[in-house]
Amino acid sequence: DAKTTQPPSMDCAEGRAANLPCNHSTISGNEYVYWYRQIHSQGPQYIIHGLKNNETNEMASLIITEDRKSSTLILPHATLRDTAVYYCIASPYGGGNKLVFGAGTILRVKS
Amino acid sequence: EAGVTQFPSHSVIEKGQTVTLRCDPISGHDNLYWYRRVMGKEIKFLLHFVKESKQDESGMPNNRFLAERTGGTYSTLKVQPAELEDSGVYFCASSQDPISNEQFFGPGTRLTVL
């Protein structure tokens, strides 16, 4: 699985967009970019995934560069409940593949 | 729909004792995974079941760990004998979508070995 690099921490004002970057310069053609988050004392939670096109769901948007070497997770209107550790994971597509977690980015949403 | 459940939520045991962790996946999910986070480290994969079969157990740290999934429903992870370095949070996850790899995680079991 390709290694991903994320900043260790970020702050965001409540109500503003949170933009979390991720570098995955060695990502292979069959690997998708997945984002999970872990809110304190809970299990990780799936957010979104994508291959090369931008994706949006009810939680977030995912912007992947054309060369697929980096991506950005966007939380359009961050709330205090979005404070969590966010993980960017490159993993082969298809069910049944293990997730390789890195250190992630601690996002602190402040009022 | 009930999510992934894990039991117990916390366990405190002494070194050398045995502990069994249980995971109940979302009903109908064939894929079941175990992960763990030890103190100060990243979440690490332990193993993956497809129904009752072990598909990948490359992350199991040693033979003190035994995972089972009889009948392809719930799974247990036994640590025998427990060592201090086994302390951490053990997560279970399940998935069913054969296309995506969205995994649903349980709340975890916090294991403390004294």
Side-chain angles (χ1 to χ4, degrees), chain A residues 34 36 38 40-47 49 85 87 91-104, chain B residues 31 33 35 37 42-45 48 50 55-56 58 91 95 97-108 110:
Chain A
Y34 290 84
Y36 280 74
Q38 186 178 20
H40 183 62
S41 298
Q42 298 181 20
Q45 176 191 25
Y46 166 83
I47 300 173
H49 72 274
V85 181
Y87 299 98
S91 180
Y93 197 57
N97 290 293
K98 65 184 179 186
L99 298 173
V100 179
F101 289 85
Chain B
N31 295 290
Y33 313 80
Y35 296 83
R37 182 205 296 274
E42 297 159 2
I43 298 172
K44 295 291 188 184
F45 166 82
H48 167 216
V50 176
Q55 193 74 12
D56 179 358
S58 62
F91 294 105
S95 72
D97 191 340
I99 306 300
S100 167
N101 194 20
E102 178 181 356
Q103 297 184 17
F104 297 85
F105 282 78
R110 180 173 296 278

Side-chain angles (χ1 to χ4, degrees), chain B residues 32-65:
Chain B
L32 187 149
Y33 313 80
W34 284 97
Y35 296 83
R36 76 170 180 177
R37 182 205 296 274
V38 295
M39 187 67 70
K41 299 294 181 71
E42 297 159 2
I43 298 172
K44 295 291 188 184
F45 166 82
L46 295 178
L47 87 159
H48 167 216
F49 284 98
V50 176
K51 297 184 180 180
E52 66 276 8
S53 300
K54 293 176 184 176
Q55 193 74 12
D56 179 358
E57 49 186 330
S58 62
M60 295 288 266
N62 52 60
N63 59 11
R64 295 186 293 103
F65 290 75

Side-chain angles (χ1 to χ4, degrees), chain B residues 25 28-30 32 49-53 69-75:
Chain B
H29 282 197
D30 289 338
L32 187 149
F49 284 98
V50 176
K51 297 184 180 180
E52 66 276 8
S53 300
R69 193 182 182 195
T70 306
T73 54
Y74 71 91
S75 174

